[in-house]
Amino acid sequence: QQTWQPVALPLSPRERQVFRSIGAGRGPREIAAELQISVKTVESHREKIKHKLLLDSDDALLHATVRWHDGYGLRDPETVSG
């Protein structure tokens, strides 16, 4: 009998930009200004990233982005699977 395993989905190019910016320590307003999008759009991307990477909280997202940014063995955020 097979057991269902959740699978992370790849991020869009814009989601990867937001992911990297979060990992670099930028807040929503700074990311919005940098990418020339609204803060609301940044927050929407954050939620989509959490869903796609199977992360259950803002803390988990921050942890994943910091680990990726600092080079602790995570692959490119396009292919991060947990």
Side-chain angles (χ1 to χ4, degrees):
Q1 181 179 6
Q2 291 185 334
T3 304
W4 180 81
Q5 295 283 332
V7 177
L9 301 172
L11 302 181
S12 71
R14 181 63 91 186
E15 290 165 348
R16 288 195 304 273
Q17 288 178 315
V18 171
F19 184 94
R20 290 181 182 116
S21 293
I22 295 168
R26 295 183 188 93
R29 289 183 184 173
E30 192 176 358
I31 296 170
E34 176 185 317
L35 300 180
Q36 299 181 344
I37 58 178
S38 73
V39 172
K40 187 172 181 178
T41 300
V42 172
E43 294 300 333
S44 176
H45 284 307
R46 286 174 57 100
E47 291 302 312
K48 289 177 184 176
I49 292 166
K50 287 192 306 186
H51 175 76
K52 287 182 174 184
L53 298 185
L54 309 173
L55 303 171
D56 59 2
S57 68
D58 289 336
D59 287 342
L61 174 61
L62 181 59
H63 182 73
T65 61
V66 169
R67 284 180 53 90
W68 177 83
H69 188 267
D70 289 346
Y72 287 106
L74 292 181
R75 298 179 305 253
D76 188 278
E78 181 178 359
T79 59
V80 168
S81 60

